[in-house]
């Protein structure tokens, strides 16, 4: 049975915010005929924005992966928690000096967006990202900076990152390590489930809440993010969550689909 409310939400939406793993692909495999589904959405004027908390890779790297599997079109864009953090710093802390615990790829994106990155131990702000090139030296420098009073921001809170064999430590695990050593926690976290990326997108696109539909497979990140922003949310059952998980954690989906491919019934 077609849900009339979902039909209206789809009709009103201009932007589909899509989580990636578990929502449009699983590892390297498309979920059903997702390429055709997204093409149908684009054909009826919907813009696709891929949202990821992973701040270790550049926008370019994600674009390449999506292009390779037929999920990226010229008008789409990828929005990472790393880029969102750079935008937030430019808006709220323009000109402040920043020490970044992050990959070289993210450093390049920060520099490109005009962030004043420094390597000394007295920055105004410290940003913790998913640093897959982490060294003990970088970790010690970060801890020294925040203990000396630098303002502490994290790109996202995920404790683990999906990986084919076992889940591997993500930025949230680094946050816990730093907390164990210093007792300090980030003053602000930008990525899902917090609303930072949504606020930035609303400003960037000059859009309203009803212009967005957030689609994802995780209740406590994707759906909770949509709830925090006031966007319509669709939980897809093609990844981590099952119907039984609803109500057991944060994140209340407005709609549930077996996979995003079922959206074609609502266009
Ligand atoms: Mg996912």
């Amino acid at each position: 049975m077609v849900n009339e409310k979902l039909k209206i939400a789809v009709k009103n939406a201009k932007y589909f915010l899509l989580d990636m793993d578990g929502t449009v692909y699983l590892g390297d495999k498309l979920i059903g005929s997702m390429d055709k589904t997204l093409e149908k959405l684009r054909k009826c004027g919907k813009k696709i924005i891929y949202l990821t908390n992973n701040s270790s890779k550049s926008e370019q790297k994600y674009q390449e992966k999506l292009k390779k599997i037929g999920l990226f079109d010229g008008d789409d864009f990828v929005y990472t928690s790393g880029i969102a953090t750079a935008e937030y710093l430019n808006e709220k802390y323009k000109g402040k000096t920043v020490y970044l615990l992050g990959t070289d790829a993210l450093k390049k994106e920060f520099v490109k967006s005009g962030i004043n990155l420094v390597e000394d131990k007295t920055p105004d702000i410290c940003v913790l990202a998913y640093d897959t090139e982490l060294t003990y030296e970088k970790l010690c420098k970060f801890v020294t900076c925040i203990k000396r009073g630098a303002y502490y921001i994290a790109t996202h809170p995920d404790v683990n990152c999906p990986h084919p064999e076992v889940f591997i430590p993500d930025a949230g695990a680094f946050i816990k390590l730093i907390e164990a050593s210093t007792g300090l926690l980030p003053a602000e976290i930008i990525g899902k489930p917090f609303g930072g990326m949504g606020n930035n997108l609303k400003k960037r696109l000059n859009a309203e809440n009803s212009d967005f539909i957030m689609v994802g497979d995780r209740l406590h990140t994707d759906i909770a993010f949509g709830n925090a922003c006031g966007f319509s949310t669709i939980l897809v059952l093609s990844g981590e969550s099952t119907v039984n998980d609803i109500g057991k954690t944060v994140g209340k989906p407005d709609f549930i689909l077996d996979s995003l491919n079922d959206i074609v019934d609502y266009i």
Side-chain angles (χ1 to χ4, degrees):
M1 200 176 77
V2 168
N3 180 328
E4 285 303 321
K5 279 189 182 164
L6 179 53
K7 216 166 189 178
I8 292 166
V10 170
K11 190 167 177 258
N12 290 338
K14 292 180 186 155
Y15 306 103
F16 270 70
L17 305 180
L18 306 183
D19 167 59
M20 290 188 262
D21 211 343
T23 300
V24 292
Y25 57 70
L26 279 167
D28 286 326
K29 275 194 157 171
L30 294 192
I31 293 173
S33 44
M34 194 58 68
D35 48 346
K36 292 188 181 75
T37 300
L38 298 190
E39 201 44 48
K40 281 179 189 157
L41 281 171
R42 291 185 197 104
K43 278 218 171 95
C44 54
K46 312 297 178 190
K47 193 170 169 90
I48 307 294
I49 302 171
Y50 292 100
L51 279 196
T52 176
N53 266 359
N54 190 336
S55 57
S56 71
K57 291 183 192 152
S58 65
E59 180 182 356
Q60 186 68 32
K61 263 263 169 311
Y62 273 113
Q63 272 192 27
E64 283 165 16
K65 171 168 184 173
L66 290 162
K67 256 185 202 154
K68 217 169 151 185
I69 54 177
L71 293 180
F72 196 86
D73 181 79
D75 274 346
D76 302 348
F77 71 89
V78 177
Y79 196 51
T80 71
S81 71
I83 294 173
T85 303
E87 283 184 356
Y88 181 70
L89 289 170
N90 271 328
E91 189 199 318
K92 207 165 167 202
Y93 302 104
K94 186 97 193 144
K96 298 280 186 198
T97 54
V98 176
Y99 175 66
L100 172 66
L101 188 76
T103 58
D104 281 344
L106 185 62
K107 275 187 189 159
K108 278 186 195 138
E109 285 185 328
F110 268 47
V111 168
K112 202 170 135 198
S113 63
I115 305 295
N116 188 5
L117 285 187
V118 291
E119 283 296 324
D120 65 62
K121 289 176 181 169
T122 53
D124 299 314
I125 297 170
C126 279
V127 173
L128 182 145
Y130 180 23
D131 189 356
T132 51
E133 297 151 8
L134 182 69
T135 64
Y136 192 68
E137 192 190 346
K138 283 162 108 176
L139 190 61
C140 290
K141 193 187 263 188
F142 190 89
V143 164
T144 306
C145 294
I146 58 168
K147 282 194 109 171
R148 285 182 175 172
Y151 190 67
Y152 174 13
I153 295 177
T155 56
H156 64 292
D158 302 44
V159 175
N160 283 315
C161 182
H163 195 260
E165 286 172 34
V166 292
F167 279 15
I168 51 176
D170 200 331
F174 304 165
I175 291 173
K176 285 187 191 290
L177 188 159
I178 289 164
E179 186 195 3
S181 167
T182 65
L184 298 170
L185 284 166
E188 298 184 68
I189 302 180
I190 307 301
K192 301 179 281 188
F194 303 100
M197 294 171 89
N199 292 334
N200 285 2
L201 284 173
K202 275 203 281 184
K203 280 180 206 146
R204 200 203 257 209
L205 303 164
N206 195 18
E208 297 172 14
N209 288 354
S210 58
D211 292 333
F212 296 96
I213 293 184
M214 174 68 208
V215 188
D217 70 311
R218 272 185 177 177
L219 285 160
H220 64 283
T221 55
D222 303 321
I223 303 305
F225 161 79
N227 296 156
C229 297
F231 302 159
S232 291
T233 54
I234 301 175
L235 176 73
V236 286
L237 304 174
S238 48
E240 273 187 33
S241 303
T242 66
V243 175
N244 291 334
D245 296 327
I246 299 169
K248 288 184 188 156
T249 173
V250 290
K252 288 191 179 69
D254 298 305
F255 308 104
I256 303 162
L257 295 175
D258 284 339
S259 87
L260 181 58
N261 294 305
D262 293 350
I263 202 77
V264 295
D265 296 336
Y266 297 87
I267 297 172

